[in-house]
Amino acid sequence: MPANGVCSVELEVIEDAATYASGSDSAGVSEDEDVQQLFVNGAHHISSVPPQKKVAETRGKPSQGTVDEPAAGRVSEKRYASLPNREQHQQFLTEFLTEVLNSAVFNATDRANKVLHWVDPEELKRTLDLAIKEEPDTHEKLLELTRATIRHSVKTGHPYFMNQLFSSVDPYGFAGQVLTDALNPSVYTFEVSPVFVLMEEVVLREMRTIVGYPNGEGDGIFAPGGSMANGYAISCARHKFMPDVKTKGLHALPRLVIFTSEDAHYSVKKLASFMGIGSDNVYAIKTDAIGKICVDHLESEILRAKQEGALPFMVSATAGTTVIGAFDPLEQIADLCAKYNLWMHVDAAWGGGALMSKKYRTLLKGIERSDSVTWNPHKLLAAPQQCSTLLTRHQNILSECHSTNATYLFQKDKFYDTRYDTGDKHIQCGRRADVLKFWFMWRAKGTAGFEQHIDKVFENAEHFTNSIKARPGFEMVIENPECTNVCFWYVPPGLRSVSRDSAEYRERLHKVAPKVKERMMKEGSMMITYQPIHDKPNFFRLVLQNSSLDKSDMNYIIDEIERLGKDL
């Protein structure tokens, strides 16, 4: 099995803040100078601006919830206080961040190390010290718990984690995530999140431009996941056609009907149920042999709903289905939506990243005609979890649909332009600045870098597909995948002589993928998911979005599956 790698990262500890400025001189040091002094000989110090600078301002004022100044050589025991204290916390935070960088970032993404250390649930409950206690733990105990948490967690940034539609630890996304947590903003008003309110507007406009909305006009939000983004789309579509629902509720509405592919993400049904439309009123449209929605069946179902006296109002197309990775025919769907006056939503949570590539954006031809789009940068673009957006061509519809004008937060008589208080268009109140990690990645890589990333993951998928087509025992579920989902069966030697039409063959093949998955997880060598679909027995679904992988990794995956399953 892989050996444990070692990657040592040292963060220098500032033992004495007075090194920067002491005595009366500190009062004359500018903030910029303070920041510059944090970079000495190229070393990045974890330190805040020296406290001496503010002594004159705070002298004589009562302390508000801060830790008492400790006596010389003694650390204060007031652990309950929520303010960082250099003497009490700097050493701990330095050691903590060093452990995270070494174990959760660099070693965890090293091919020489395991994707996971498998432990059965009951044994893990006995192994981990998860009990909540009356008294506080020591810093050393907290570091021990940190190490245990990292050890027993799945390393989703590992190159051989390909189990879900997210992976990798992007260094710039990670940096943005850390900064987000350090600043701990809530993005609802300009007064508390000035940078992030403006940052969201810039990023969302650029994404709308990439989708193809004229001049990037429209509206958009960062949402807590693609499911909620799809829910926002349903809410906006309903409001556009029936604005009275905001005040009068569902009893004022006819029976509403949504149309989506039978292979679409489950969130369309779930959110329709949550919003009172009802899952029965989400009409599932048949898909063809390669997973695309059947446009003829879609039109017939629209007509059926009308004949039933219902009110069709929305089609949710999919650009990159979860399992197969199919892209619905968006231009034909747009034609139907125009013909029957329906809101056209595109769930591009998975496949939206392909828009960044000139070569692959043609997969989403017609998306520019949509009313709204869900696009998750944390999927194909490999931003850290979570980073999801809802984009729409309709200006102000999110505010019209969701705002309540709470006067304790969204006062209209503030001293600045309150158009920048954007939080009322969300159904959330408190909201993370998910934009920062994505914006930071975008600035670090550029649009050109994202294009190279997309081209690379598609290249890997094509190489993997061609390789297993040429390898005995591997069979494609979809002969020519559109996205980076590669769905395939592994047929062990002992099963290759059994008749394909027999019940025995299907029954035994159905058990192969689960058993190989069990073995790879227990060995920790990699994680690839499997599932059935329609009448097909279990198959592997390799999903690729980590652009650090290369052809040798594709060969490793094939060899490993063969090694783990050849005796079945």
Side-chain angles (χ1 to χ4, degrees), residues 138-438:
T138 65
H139 283 172
E140 183 51 47
K141 178 62 175 178
L142 294 175
L143 291 171
E144 177 187 318
L145 294 172
T146 300
R147 288 187 285 269
T149 299
I150 294 170
R151 174 174 174 77
H152 292 292
S153 293
V154 175
K155 311 307 186 294
T156 61
H158 194 287
Y160 300 144
F161 176 85
M162 295 154 284
N163 204 67
Q164 263 77 42
L165 302 183
F166 71 92
S167 71
S168 80
V169 178
D170 185 272
Y172 302 107
F174 172 75
Q177 185 92 298
V178 171
L179 182 54
T180 301
D181 287 341
L183 294 173
N184 193 32
S186 189
V187 191
Y188 35 55
T189 62
F190 180 83
E191 65 182 287
V192 296
S193 288
V195 174
F196 302 121
V197 165
L198 299 180
M199 190 181 287
E200 283 191 341
E201 290 208 355
V202 169
V203 170
L204 291 169
R205 175 178 285 274
E206 186 64 24
M207 293 178 77
R208 290 193 297 267
T209 301
I210 291 169
V211 165
Y213 295 154
N215 301 314
E217 297 294 333
D219 207 347
I221 53 174
F222 279 80
S227 292
M228 288 303 299
N230 286 339
Y232 273 112
I234 296 171
S235 180
C236 289
R238 185 175 65 178
H239 181 82
K240 182 176 187 295
F241 293 111
M242 291 143 284
D244 284 351
V245 69
K246 182 175 180 179
T247 54
K248 296 180 180 179
L250 297 176
H251 76 279
L253 302 180
R255 180 167 71 89
L256 304 178
V257 176
I258 301 170
F259 307 90
T260 196
S261 154
E262 62 182 345
D263 292 343
H265 193 263
Y266 65 83
S267 60
V268 178
K269 274 193 172 183
K270 180 171 286 192
L271 269 296
S273 177
F274 179 79
M275 294 172 63
I277 293 171
S279 58
D280 285 350
N281 292 315
V282 178
Y283 286 20
I285 309 303
K286 295 175 182 176
T287 54
D288 61 19
I290 56 175
K292 295 176 179 289
I293 200 169
C294 295
V295 178
D296 289 345
H297 186 234
L298 172 59
E299 183 166 24
S300 68
E301 287 294 273
I302 293 170
L303 294 173
R304 178 170 75 89
K306 285 177 170 289
Q307 291 168 358
E308 294 170 346
L311 181 61
F313 76 105
M314 177 181 184
V315 176
S316 181
T318 310
T321 56
T322 303
V323 178
I324 300 299
F327 289 79
D328 285 340
L330 302 183
E331 289 187 301
Q332 293 173 269
I333 293 171
D335 290 341
L336 283 182
C337 288
K339 180 178 180 180
Y340 294 104
N341 192 28
L342 305 176
W343 180 286
M344 178 184 174
H345 174 62
V346 180
D347 179 0
W350 172 228
L355 289 166
M356 304 294 276
S357 167
K358 291 184 286 290
K359 182 177 180 180
Y360 294 103
R361 68 170 288 120
T362 55
L363 291 167
L364 298 99
K365 189 177 181 182
I367 195 171
E368 70 281 358
R369 297 173 62 187
S370 66
D371 291 282
S372 59
V373 173
T374 291
W375 178 359
N376 288 7
H378 74 236
K379 291 188 174 176
L380 203 51
L381 292 179
Q385 290 268 35
Q386 65 192 16
C387 191
S388 305
T389 64
L390 185 279
L391 312 167
T392 175
R393 66 166 59 252
H394 301 281
Q395 295 187 38
N396 302 319
I397 193 167
L398 284 158
S399 293
E400 294 169 4
C401 184
H402 302 123
S403 64
T404 56
N405 298 306
T407 55
Y408 58 83
L409 187 58
F410 303 111
Q411 305 95 328
K412 300 303 181 184
D413 56 354
K414 293 179 180 179
F415 64 92
Y416 60 85
D417 187 345
T418 56
R419 288 180 303 165
Y420 293 103
D421 288 356
T422 57
D424 209 16
K425 64 184 178 182
H426 295 258
I427 59 172
Q428 296 169 264
C429 181
R431 190 169 60 85
R432 284 176 54 85
D434 288 331
V435 64
L436 177 54
K437 53 205 168 191
F438 184 43

Side-chain angles (χ1 to χ4, degrees), residues 71-82:
R74 180 175 64 83
V75 176
S76 171
E77 294 300 323
K78 290 190 176 180
R79 287 283 198 90
Y80 62 83
S82 301

